[in-house]
Amino acid sequence: MDIFVVFALLAIAVHVVKTREQAQRIALLGGYLGQFQIEKLMQDVLNGYQRALGEADEQRQAQVWRHLEPTEQTLCEQFNRFVLEFAKVSEPQARLSRLPLALPFVAQYFPSTALDMRKLLSVHARGITQACQNRLAQTPKRKAFTLSAELMLMQHSCHWFCRSKMVASTRLLARHQTAYAQVLAALAPSTRQAYGQLIGN
């Protein structure tokens, strides 16, 4: 058989298996996220921040910041509940590959190359909670900057789990016009340290 045909068939087989694995992870994560309104609340918060930052009048801006506080709190509560529910997932199901590209069976048969999504979500939960409660006593503008980064990184991890790190970084840039490195730089120091230790940076 022609070597080109062999490689073509192998590539097709890898693609089919990879697509099946990704569909399973998407269904798994979606099944838990579907119980909450996290994505909508996140969008409401980020849009609200843009609205507040666009206000020239300081009093009007302060009103928008205050108006967003209940939504931030609800988002924080729902995300923490989601993390508790996802913690029930078995360790093999919660693995995601550290490799930039998605390859089938890597996380399954080479666990040393994988991350535990449950632990990653716990890091995000602590970071989001800290930012929502403003434990660093930041100004509203700085708090919004930090919480936005925490939320974007959480979304990046979800896309990483479902697809790959490269796809997640591409989606982050396309959706928020923000590079992965910029998000990491904008995190609270405690989140950046915990995240870096977990992913091996």
Side-chain angles (χ1 to χ4, degrees):
M1 185 180 291
D2 188 277
I3 190 69
F4 176 78
V5 174
V6 172
F7 277 115
L9 292 174
L10 182 60
I12 292 171
V14 168
H15 177 73
V16 169
V17 175
K18 180 189 73 173
T19 301
R20 186 178 302 158
E21 280 190 358
Q22 290 178 344
Q24 290 171 346
R25 287 195 295 271
I26 291 169
L28 176 65
L29 188 64
Y32 284 92
L33 283 172
Q35 303 173 41
F36 306 97
Q37 294 183 304
I38 293 169
E39 188 171 357
K40 179 185 182 302
L41 290 165
M42 176 180 169
Q43 198 59 49
D44 289 345
V45 167
L46 294 179
N47 288 341
Y49 288 163
Q50 292 296 321
R51 192 165 61 251
L53 293 171
E55 290 287 346
D57 182 74
E58 290 186 5
Q59 288 187 338
R60 175 58 186 158
Q61 189 179 73
Q63 289 177 350
V64 177
W65 293 131
R66 286 195 298 271
H67 177 74
L68 286 169
E69 288 177 0
T71 308
E72 293 172 343
Q73 187 61 37
T74 302
L75 172 58
C76 180
E77 291 171 355
Q78 289 207 12
F79 187 74
N80 277 282
R81 284 166 51 202
F82 157 68
V83 172
L84 288 174
E85 288 297 314
F86 195 83
K88 299 173 184 177
V89 171
S90 67
E91 188 274 333
Q93 286 183 300
R95 290 177 192 161
L96 70 157
S97 174
R98 296 174 189 267
L99 300 178
L101 295 174
L103 294 174
F105 304 125
V106 171
Q108 181 179 355
Y109 293 110
F110 302 96
S112 62
T113 67
L115 295 171
D116 190 330
M117 183 63 170
R118 300 168 303 178
K119 294 180 180 179
L120 198 54
L121 289 174
S122 292
V123 169
H124 294 315
R126 288 193 296 272
I128 291 169
T129 300
Q130 177 179 276
C132 282
Q133 296 177 352
N134 199 15
R135 294 179 188 170
L136 299 178
Q138 297 176 313
T139 64
K141 184 176 180 179
R142 184 66 198 180
K143 172 192 169 185
F145 186 67
T146 301
L147 183 53
S148 294
E150 299 281 357
L151 292 171
M152 288 180 193
L153 186 65
M154 175 271 289
Q155 191 176 56
H156 179 276
S157 293
C158 290
H159 289 153
W160 184 357
F161 179 74
C162 293
R163 299 290 185 182
S164 69
K165 187 176 182 180
M166 183 176 291
V167 169
S169 297
T170 301
R171 287 186 175 181
L172 177 66
L173 187 60
R175 182 171 296 188
H176 301 292
Q177 291 75 55
T178 307
Y180 177 60
Q182 290 177 295
V183 170
L184 294 180
L187 295 170
S190 58
T191 304
R192 187 163 52 248
Q193 181 181 13
Y195 179 82
Q197 288 176 343
L198 188 59
I199 70 169
N201 281 3

